[in-house]
Amino acid sequence: KDDKAKHLTDDLRADKATAEGLGKELSEAAKALSAGQDLEAQKSAVEGSKMESEKARADISDKLGEQRARKREREGAAAKDRVKLEEILRLGKQGMCPTCERRLDDAYDLLAAKLAKEIDEATVASSEAAAKIEAFQNDLKALDRKDEALKKKASHIELESDKRRKTEATVEGLKRQLVQLEARIASKTRDLHALGDLRFSKETYD
């Protein structure tokens, strides 16, 4: 009977030491979870930024297309007017207007000035469109850099989320082990008490 009691006491001491160790592990794991970043909020913020980026990219792409079309149209208009102006200058005042087929005469200077002005205006408009195209292209490059940063952020969040899931699984595993161990301790304690009023020292039980 004494041997059995001593054996149970030794088992209880070992189980209690194990339980204490598991308790510390559980406390550290739980602390890590509570101190962790709000990953869901970060993930939501990244998704929101991605949507904003996609919308901005679509808007810029539309504007870029408009300016490219305007640049082509203005360059084409300037080219046509240059051909007309060169033809009028070649014909001179006594020549026939290539459009209305009448003698140019007094209309020569007016028509030449009008075409020269339209060429200048089309050239300016084309240059302005080119400047806007460059600005929009720079905006797209900035969005590319932003998207790359968002991808890295999303990857980091996924890694942290994976770590968190593993920590949560560890916590659940430790809880299960503790429950089983505490049940075993309670059972052995009952068995020890059932052996009767054996006179062990407090050091033996603790």
Side-chain angles (χ1 to χ4, degrees), residues 132-146:
K132 289 179 180 179
I133 288 170
E134 184 178 1
F136 288 140
Q137 287 174 332
N138 288 335
D139 289 342
L140 287 176
K141 289 177 182 177
L143 282 176
D144 288 340
R145 291 191 294 271
K146 179 183 177 182

Side-chain angles (χ1 to χ4, degrees), residues 145-192:
R145 291 191 294 271
K146 179 183 177 182
D147 288 346
E148 189 61 31
L150 287 172
K151 284 180 183 177
K152 290 180 179 178
K153 181 67 174 177
S155 178
H156 172 73
I157 291 172
E158 188 54 39
L159 285 173
E160 290 300 314
S161 295
D162 187 54
K163 286 181 184 177
R164 187 177 185 85
R165 285 190 291 269
K166 289 178 180 178
T167 302
E168 288 171 345
T170 297
V171 167
E172 290 305 311
L174 289 171
K175 285 180 179 178
R176 285 193 297 271
Q177 290 181 58
L178 270 175
V179 168
Q180 293 169 359
L181 194 54
E182 287 169 355
R184 193 165 71 192
I185 289 171
S187 176
K188 288 179 180 179
T189 300
R190 286 193 299 270
D191 290 344
L192 187 60

Side-chain angles (χ1 to χ4, degrees), residues 49-195:
S49 294
K50 282 183 179 180
M51 290 178 64
E52 289 176 4
S53 181
E54 288 172 4
K55 183 179 183 302
R57 186 180 295 278
D59 290 343
I60 292 170
S61 294
D62 288 345
K63 292 176 182 177
L64 188 57
E66 291 172 1
Q67 292 304 318
R68 281 173 173 163
R70 177 168 176 73
K71 183 172 181 291
R72 285 193 301 269
E73 187 274 326
R74 291 289 77 200
E75 286 176 343
K80 288 178 182 178
D81 285 343
R82 284 194 191 93
V83 171
K84 290 179 183 178
L85 181 58
E86 288 171 3
E87 180 67 10
I88 288 171
L89 293 176
R90 184 182 65 79
L91 293 172
K93 289 185 177 183
Q94 303 306 314
M96 301 292 290
C97 174
T99 302
C100 64
E101 296 183 354
R102 296 177 183 175
R103 281 171 57 91
L104 289 170
D105 294 329
D106 294 339
Y108 173 85
D109 291 332
L110 182 63
L111 186 56
K114 179 176 179 292
L115 286 170
K117 181 182 179 184
E118 289 177 351
I119 290 169
D120 287 342
E121 289 174 347
T123 301
V124 169
S126 176
S127 296
E128 289 175 348
K132 289 179 180 179
I133 288 170
E134 184 178 1
F136 288 140
Q137 287 174 332
N138 288 335
D139 289 342
L140 287 176
K141 289 177 182 177
L143 282 176
D144 288 340
R145 291 191 294 271
K146 179 183 177 182
D147 288 346
E148 189 61 31
L150 287 172
K151 284 180 183 177
K152 290 180 179 178
K153 181 67 174 177
S155 178
H156 172 73
I157 291 172
E158 188 54 39
L159 285 173
E160 290 300 314
S161 295
D162 187 54
K163 286 181 184 177
R164 187 177 185 85
R165 285 190 291 269
K166 289 178 180 178
T167 302
E168 288 171 345
T170 297
V171 167
E172 290 305 311
L174 289 171
K175 285 180 179 178
R176 285 193 297 271
Q177 290 181 58
L178 270 175
V179 168
Q180 293 169 359
L181 194 54
E182 287 169 355
R184 193 165 71 192
I185 289 171
S187 176
K188 288 179 180 179
T189 300
R190 286 193 299 270
D191 290 344
L192 187 60
H193 290 164
L195 289 174

